[in-house]
Amino acid sequence: MKPFHLLLPLGLALSTTATPKLQDFDALGAWFDGVNSIPPSPNNPTTPHSEAKNASIAIVGGGISGLAIALMLDSVGIYNWEIIEASDRVGGRNRTKFVANSSEWAEMGAMRLPVRAHYTDGEVVEYTDHAMVFQLAALLNDLNHNAPQWRIDFIPWIQHHPNELLALGTGRHPDGRIPTRADIAQDPRLDTPSPMSTAEYNRSRAQMDALLLHKETLQSIQRDVWRAHRQAMDHGLDDWSEQATMRHVLHAGQNVTDAIWTAGDYDVLWDDLYHNANFALDGSAGSHGTTEWMCIDRGFSRLSHAFLPHVRGRLTLGHKIRKLEPIITRDDGRATRLSWYPSVRNRTLESKDYDYTIMAVPFTMTRFMDLPAFSSVLGRAISEAGLRFRSACKVALLFSERFWEHGARPIWGGFSTPPSAAVGTLYYPVYGLNESRPGLIMHYRGGDWSDRLVSFGDEEHVQTVLDAVVALHGEQAMELYTGDYERLCWLQDEYTATSWCRPDVEQHRLYIPAYHRMEHRTIFLGEHTAPTHAWVSSALQSAVQLLLELGLVDEAKRLNRQWMGRWIDSIDRGLLR
């Protein structure tokens, strides 16, 4: 299994029908190249242009993907859509909280975006993965005439600071002090020791690093994650778990395999590669460089709220869809019927019919719905035994002073690791640095630990985090804690029941092509349906899919060029080869 780094040209499988569909193009790679290459053709004569543009569309879910696809449809003259949101707010897993009505904001969901990778040899590579988010923010600012109440401003995110305190599993100074990140860089003996030191372990670890930290591979992901994803699928990196790779490809023993795998957080090779392309997330010294990050001033909810002037009148809150069914209309046409209960106690379904439905909620929510029978692969992806999801917990504690920014070793941004493995990481604010103001320390724990922390009540969870802060910073933390906090474990959120998608072995290669085929006039949309696992890129994919289904080829191509064109052109000119 060799690292992949050559961007091979991919053939386009154009349909022989008059109007190609998204399913005719490379679902696992550069599907947008196929759309871009559709030759000009007249509109489908069986579906007049004006009739297609007037089709009624339900967008179930008012998260970023649902909001983004609505705006994209508007931009090409598709206005007859309605967003149906179960909760009383838009934004989904974008959720910013101002703790105790202060000016201190905590990101309970999305919190940062990679912008560019800075290599230690001086090379700089721009990330294309989330470029559409910055494009979307610029568009919204323009549409909202830069009005202060809607404006989206990006500020630097500080992933690491030299004075972060690293207490989990590390050594201590002779006087008992917890080492900083800079201390460990200067004296590696203070770092967390390897679980094993045998020749077999060192050899297997080096072989895995050669695969998962291969420079050209990571650059291909940074520059063009879609083509890199296709290369990964072609090289079998979705077919093997990391454990199976070590045991059956590298022939490592069980003990060595377990020691290496349990020290990480990933099961599938592609996931780990994608993670590693965001350099030094954990501050490891073995990285090729650092990632430059950005966040949104006053929180990611600013991005969601900026849509409100453009969706009002076509946004329905408080309707949790419980049933989706295909129907035959009076004129023998086909449509979808969505149903919901008026309240928890009123169990008489109310319904409304639409020509098409875009299901912009995660499968963790559609699994609660009464759905028609989908094809075997798509049905299994939706099912509880299908696509895997992970959770996360966050707790934000408000302190009357930013004591961590004072003293001989001030900390400005970044995160520390307390002795408690359950708490994991404690993030510091990246805004208002070195000002005389209150501040938040944010506990963030994902994966299995977050599943366990759900069992805690608010009081116990908050106290556990506060104990961890005191273990790092001393009793001053207890004295300056205001008693105000925010807590959110996403498994407890009734509108998502998850945090993010984490596919298992072979679920990318099997499931993603199924999302490109419309069934029962329904399209599934969200971070779980795209190789990038990003909301905005999945919205573009689904918008193009719907337009092609409607026979609106010119509109699909125009939307494709508007959102992917900035770097499709670069690829065409050979700049990313």
Side-chain angles (χ1 to χ4, degrees):
M1 186 183 299
K2 297 180 180 179
F4 63 98
H5 60 275
L6 297 177
L7 298 181
L8 302 179
L10 298 172
L12 301 179
L14 281 176
S15 170
T16 58
T17 61
T19 304
K21 303 293 192 293
L22 191 67
Q23 68 198 43
D24 295 315
F25 308 113
D26 184 16
L28 298 177
W31 59 268
F32 41 84
D33 274 356
V35 175
N36 195 44
S37 300
I38 300 174
S41 61
N43 291 304
N44 189 332
T46 63
T47 307
H49 194 268
S50 59
E51 180 182 341
K53 285 201 166 186
N54 286 329
S56 59
I57 302 160
I59 302 172
V60 181
I64 289 298
S65 57
L67 294 168
I69 195 172
L71 192 67
M72 291 174 182
L73 293 176
D74 258 10
S75 72
V76 291
I78 308 293
Y79 304 115
N80 192 16
W81 50 259
E82 178 185 3
I83 296 175
I84 306 168
E85 166 58 38
S87 72
D88 61 357
R89 54 177 287 276
V90 297
R93 283 166 283 177
N94 277 4
R95 191 169 305 182
T96 306
K97 291 288 189 178
F98 285 82
V99 182
N101 295 316
S102 70
S103 59
E104 305 305 309
W105 44 273
E107 295 287 28
M108 309 307 291
M111 60 184 184
R112 62 196 167 197
L113 293 168
V115 181
R116 56 188 62 90
H118 296 264
Y119 283 78
T120 54
D121 61 8
E123 186 175 6
V124 178
V125 176
E126 300 284 331
Y127 288 96
T128 56
D129 190 354
H130 295 288
M132 280 185 278
V133 180
F134 297 102
Q135 182 180 354
L136 176 64
L139 175 62
L140 286 166
N141 283 342
D142 184 59
L143 291 174
N144 292 328
H145 307 290
N146 287 304
Q149 69 267 39
W150 307 120
R151 182 168 174 80
I152 304 158
D153 293 305
F154 290 95
I155 60 175
W157 169 272
I158 304 170
Q159 182 66 15
H160 294 294
H161 188 269
N163 289 335
E164 295 165 354
L165 297 170
L166 305 183
L168 183 59
T170 57
R172 296 293 184 269
H173 290 288
D175 60 2
R177 286 183 297 116
I178 296 169
T180 66
R181 187 171 298 281
D183 292 337
I184 292 174
Q186 185 175 4
D187 184 359
R189 293 174 300 177
L190 293 169
D191 202 357
T192 304
S194 296
M196 301 176 68
S197 59
T198 65
E200 181 191 1
Y201 174 87
N202 293 333
R203 181 183 67 252
S204 300
R205 178 73 271 176
Q207 289 173 320
M208 287 299 288
D209 286 347
L211 173 64
L212 296 172
L213 297 174
H214 187 256
K215 181 179 178 181
E216 285 75 16
T217 297
L218 299 183
Q219 286 185 330
S220 73
I221 294 172
Q222 293 158 355
R223 288 172 167 150
D224 182 355
V225 66
W226 290 268
R227 283 184 175 82
H229 181 263
R230 162 53 77 177
Q231 293 293 313
M233 299 301 103
D234 289 346
H235 283 74
L237 298 189
D238 197 45
D239 300 344
W240 296 82
S241 69
E242 294 198 354
Q243 304 99 303
T245 300
M246 286 184 274
R247 289 286 288 129
H248 303 295
V249 178
L250 305 181
H251 305 294
Q254 289 178 323
N255 193 24
V256 166
T257 295
D258 187 70
I260 295 173
W261 177 69
T262 55
D265 185 43
Y266 289 88
D267 300 316
V268 183
L269 294 167
W270 163 254
D271 277 351
D272 214 346
L273 281 166
Y274 184 81
H275 170 269
N276 290 341
N278 293 322
F279 288 156
L281 271 172
D282 59 358
S284 59
S287 176
H288 291 290
T290 59
T291 294
E292 180 182 344
W293 302 83
M294 300 292 281
C295 61
I296 296 178
D297 189 20
R298 290 173 292 165
F300 268 77
S301 286
R302 298 282 300 181
L303 181 64
S304 313
H305 294 162
F307 285 92
L308 289 175
H310 313 287
V311 302
R312 283 175 177 158
R314 292 176 289 175
L315 169 65
T316 298
L317 298 175
H319 280 185
K320 181 182 286 188
I321 300 301
R322 290 296 191 182
K323 186 175 184 180
L324 164 69
E325 55 185 322
I327 62 171
I328 304 297
T329 62
R330 292 180 180 179
D331 57 357
D332 292 329
R334 296 184 180 275
T336 60
R337 175 167 294 161
L338 298 177
S339 303
W340 62 91
Y341 294 119
S343 69
V344 173
R345 294 186 177 182
N346 185 345
R347 310 309 278 178
T348 302
L349 285 173
E350 295 182 357
S351 304
K352 188 173 179 179
D353 299 343
Y354 301 87
D355 292 318
Y356 296 91
T357 291
I358 297 173
M359 193 64 70
V361 296
F363 289 156
T364 49
M365 289 290 97
T366 59
R367 290 167 185 169
F368 287 101
M369 299 178 187
D370 181 2
L371 300 176
F374 288 94
S375 64
S376 177
V377 173
L378 183 55
R380 280 181 277 132
I382 298 170
S383 75
E384 70 279 4
L387 191 65
R388 300 287 190 255
F389 290 82
R390 299 291 291 271
S391 187
C393 285
K394 290 189 174 184
V395 171
L397 305 182
L398 181 64
F399 296 90
S400 59
E401 294 179 18
R402 296 188 174 194
F403 52 84
W404 54 90
E405 295 182 358
H406 306 153
R409 300 188 296 179
I411 303 173
W412 294 316
F415 67 79
S416 292
T417 56
S420 168
V423 173
T425 52
L426 295 171
Y427 283 87
Y428 304 99
V430 300
Y431 58 90
L433 302 179
N434 210 24
E435 296 179 2
S436 298
R437 60 186 292 172
L440 296 172
I441 291 182
M442 168 77 74
H443 147 73
Y444 175 30
R445 203 68 167 109
D448 184 80
W449 273 113
S450 68
D451 297 341
R452 307 289 80 78
L453 288 167
V454 169
S455 66
F456 282 22
D458 281 5
E459 185 177 0
E460 183 176 7
H461 196 167
V462 167
Q463 188 61 51
T464 299
V465 176
L466 183 58
D467 290 344
V469 177
V470 172
L472 285 177
H473 294 285
E475 289 298 325
Q476 63 173 333
M478 188 73 73
E479 297 166 1
L480 296 173
Y481 174 50
T482 65
D484 299 304
Y485 67 88
E486 290 286 344
R487 179 194 184 223
L488 177 59
C489 285
W490 284 91
L491 280 182
Q492 294 176 308
D493 184 90
E494 66 174 300
Y495 305 110
T496 61
T498 190
S499 183
W500 67 84
C501 180
R502 178 70 70 79
D504 210 336
V505 173
E506 292 197 319
Q507 289 189 334
H508 264 206
R509 186 155 64 177
L510 178 65
Y511 291 158
I512 288 176
Y515 309 143
H516 285 229
R517 294 180 178 272
M518 179 182 286
E519 299 183 30
H520 301 307
R521 290 205 162 200
T522 298
I523 294 173
F524 290 91
L525 161 64
E527 57 93 15
H528 52 298
T529 68
T532 58
H533 296 299
W535 291 301
V536 179
S537 59
S538 65
L540 172 65
Q541 172 185 305
S542 295
V544 170
Q545 182 177 2
L546 177 63
L547 292 171
L548 292 178
E549 294 286 345
L550 289 169
L552 300 174
V553 174
D554 291 341
E555 287 79 359
K557 288 169 65 71
R558 185 162 75 247
L559 199 65
N560 188 52
R561 295 296 302 182
Q562 177 185 354
W563 290 91
M564 301 296 276
R566 61 165 59 189
W567 60 277
I568 288 178
D569 290 344
S570 296
I571 293 171
D572 291 342
R573 292 194 300 270
L575 297 183
L576 298 185
R577 295 183 190 277

